[in-house]
Amino acid sequence: MDQPLSTPLDKIKKCIESEQSFVLQGGAGSGKTETLKRVVNYCTERFPNKKIVCITHTNKAVDEIIDRVGTGVEVSTIHSFVGGLVKPYKRNLLKYLPELFCLPLFEELCIEHYGGDDKVRKTEEHNRYKALHETWASRRLIVLQESTEKVTGKREYDKAPSSFNAALNAGIEELNDVVRESLRHHHFKDVAYNDTPFDSFNNATFGHDGLIKIAALLFSNYSNIGKIVRDKYDCIFIDEYQDTDEKIIDSLINFTPEHGLTIGLFGDSEQAIYDDGIVSAIRFIDDGRLKLIEKEDNYRCSPQVIDVANKFRSDGLVQKVGLKEVNGKLEEPEEREGEATFYYSIKPLPPEKPVSPKKRDSDDLKSAYKIAKAKYDVKLKEYKLDLSCRLENLTAFAQADIGEHVLLKLPNKSIARDANFGNLYDLFDGRFRDTREEIRKQLDRLQFGQLIEILQLFNRSSIDNRSYNKLIGLLKKQGFVIKNKQDKRELYSMLEEFSVSDEAAYVVMEHAIKAGLISLSDSHKSFLIRRDRELERFAEDTSFDAFKKLLDHGCNTKKRMCDYLAENDDIDLASVVVEEKYEQLKKDVQSEAFFMGLFGKNIKFKEVLAFFKYENDDSNFMTMHKTKGTGIENVIVVLDEFNWNKYDFGSCFRAEDDNPSRQALTRKLLYVACSRAKKNLRCVRLIEELDEVRNISNYFDNCVHVNLD
């Protein structure tokens, strides 16, 4: 008689019984978190003396897991868990604290590293030099309160790169010596995890990223810590492992004893769409440290959607329809049927760009080029507007008869306006490529993320005691202590005002700092110092205002500026200055506009609130990045990059691409987006040529051409 097939849960039970660490790899809709709940229940019933901890990434996720598994098991964020492990070892923490603030020396990479391409080598080496120089300058500002000369441009750098690299390394070594000597004078009791995103050099404390780095150093240098973890826990289960920092996974697997501790990872490497996680556990699987357990069932999607989504996976896991019980009755296969359709339209040809004249060409040719270029610029603007309209019309065609649905696309200006942070988006879009990521990065640096977290906890505290306790704990770490009922009333009144404030964003931040809700971080201070020094430099540069006047006159290129100066004498600026300083002055104008916008009256605090509401999935606007773990009946995915350089949806349908890392990242994003659809999936894209359709038809059985002319 045939033995029944072993389920993923059965395999996990055997792993726990034999103290074998494992990774449960399951695609979208496979019920990974439900399996985690069942594993915890099995452990508590079968091995009641086992000490178990479940680790996840956010406080919201912690609450969700507690709701599923109950309060009898320790559930923690990754930072709370690691912070608790390292807290007792303050002397050791002080010893390794300089590693968070000391900078690595610049190491030149040989031409072989760049495939023998000397032009690429020169460009990339200068980019590396520039990045490290900027980090060094920022660190000098924090440690020494001293500004640093601007980084050397590529033209000068290329003349003597080794000399510039040596000078930078000398500066780094000097700064690192100051860092070590300064931190050596702190008492070990000063060293602590500050539960913020920021390391603090002056206070000898470390934030989220610093905690991960210093914990990894302790694990790798003190074997006793791994033994203590083994003695404290029998099972460590990590949810959404693909988003966990690789240093923590590595520490737990490689620096804890082989016996007496079971580590279980639950997640999906194909849903790792962010940059800071381990992504895949394949190296631990290959060396036998982890047993791979695949979960092939998909309890969410129709077979048509599953078929498409499977083709975007790169790990070999093939999902199949898993029927679930609804009100005690197993659903029928017919109930899961749906559709997966690709709607496309051919882009019209772009306007032809005129060929630039050469220096030796006649004035007539140059004059004709100026006229042709002006016409081209108008046509190009009209062409881009036409493409935008065509994409809207194609999307509307796909929406026509699908019923209630969710539209997924990359974050863009339209979504930002609809979600009420349009001015904030426009400010960053004028300066950065990855607009959404930079908004989050810079707002976090100015500690808006901390203030928003305080407000979110406050708004939930009236109905959730856990939120109230977290709020009080968070404020206490900032040095804000509630001593009596009057303090509490004043706090609540202030937070209520912030929640509905119509004041400028940074004005509200200044109120929060003055009230003691926010303790100014080193990073925040250095940002303000750099802003003030940059604005002061602009004011002292006599060519800066003249350059802005030229821009106001419509001279938005170097040539137009020089032509204007040659024909007019109303602006006091020499053409030679424009020739030499054009790029720098252009960047300076952008920087001034950015600083004045971010700290001015136009960016209201309610836009910052709206942005974080959107980021935290509390708004009605969904994008591809914000749907992980969500199941939606009908989904339409718009395959347009919206000027995001890190994605290329066309590459998803090609077997190979000249940028494989971008192709892999885009495929993962598309897998996440498509696998949200429970029933019906429709993708839309404007394509360059019909050859693309042949590639797309390998993924979608149903491709529909829509004529928009």
Side-chain angles (χ1 to χ4, degrees), residues 103-119:
L103 297 177
L105 297 180
F106 187 88
E107 295 184 9
E108 296 181 15
L109 299 177
C110 61
I111 193 170
E112 286 76 18
H113 179 82
Y114 298 103
D117 191 325
D118 194 49
K119 185 178 180 180

Side-chain angles (χ1 to χ4, degrees), residues 11 73 110 116 126 136 176 276 341 371 477 495 508 525-527 546 562 589 606 610:
K11 294 175 182 177
V73 173
C110 61
H126 181 257
W136 171 62
N176 287 348
D276 53 357
T341 307
I371 296 171
K477 287 184 178 179
L495 295 180
V508 174
K525 290 176 187 174
S526 70
F527 192 104
C562 290
V589 170
K606 60 186 178 183

Side-chain angles (χ1 to χ4, degrees), residues 351 372-385:
K373 180 64 166 58
K375 290 180 179 179
Y376 167 78
D377 289 341
V378 172
K379 289 181 179 179
L380 183 62
K381 187 175 182 180
E382 292 173 347
Y383 176 74
K384 290 180 178 179
L385 182 61

Side-chain angles (χ1 to χ4, degrees), residues 99 103 175 184 188 259 265 269 308 338 344-345 401 425 524 550 556 581 607 613 620:
E99 297 296 324
L103 297 177
L175 179 63
R184 190 174 65 83
F188 68 86
H259 303 291
L265 308 183
S269 59
V308 170
Y344 69 93
S345 185
D401 61 349
Y425 191 95
H524 193 154
L550 284 171
N556 55 1
K581 298 178 61 178
E607 288 212 32
K613 186 176 182 181
N620 294 323

Side-chain angles (χ1 to χ4, degrees), residues 77-117:
T77 64
I78 189 69
H79 293 108
S80 294
F81 170 74
V82 175
L85 291 180
V86 303
K87 185 177 180 179
Y89 308 103
K90 289 184 174 287
R91 292 182 188 273
N92 307 96
L93 290 173
L94 180 59
K95 177 180 177 181
Y96 287 99
L97 190 63
E99 297 296 324
L100 303 185
F101 300 98
C102 288
L103 297 177
L105 297 180
F106 187 88
E107 295 184 9
E108 296 181 15
L109 299 177
C110 61
I111 193 170
E112 286 76 18
H113 179 82
Y114 298 103
D117 191 325

Side-chain angles (χ1 to χ4, degrees), residues 301-347:
C301 306
S302 65
Q304 292 79 8
V305 173
I306 292 172
D307 181 60
V308 170
N310 278 339
K311 294 171 183 175
F312 292 121
R313 295 190 69 94
S314 63
D315 63 343
L317 177 66
V318 178
Q319 287 194 281
K320 62 182 188 299
V321 174
L323 300 177
K324 56 182 178 290
E325 284 191 11
V326 180
N327 298 323
K329 182 181 177 183
L330 193 67
E331 65 180 338
E332 296 294 333
E334 295 77 13
E335 298 175 47
R336 290 282 292 278
E337 290 294 317
E339 68 163 66
T341 307
F342 195 99
Y343 292 84
Y344 69 93
S345 185
I346 309 294
K347 289 181 183 179

Side-chain angles (χ1 to χ4, degrees), residues 197-208:
F198 310 102
D199 300 327
S200 175
F201 173 76
N202 294 319
N203 296 331
T205 64
F206 46 88
H208 301 327

Side-chain angles (χ1 to χ4, degrees), residues 514-558:
K514 185 177 180 181
L517 297 180
I518 298 293
S519 177
L520 213 61
S521 70
D522 290 347
S523 181
H524 193 154
K525 290 176 187 174
S526 70
F527 192 104
L528 297 181
I529 293 171
R530 185 168 67 86
R531 174 204 62 180
D532 294 343
R533 291 180 178 175
E534 286 288 272
L535 292 176
E536 184 180 344
R537 181 174 66 82
F538 302 156
E540 293 174 352
D541 186 348
T542 56
S543 58
F544 183 74
D545 282 336
F547 187 86
K548 288 202 296 182
K549 288 178 182 177
L550 284 171
L551 289 174
D552 291 338
H553 279 72
C555 302
N556 55 1
T557 68
K558 185 191 297 185

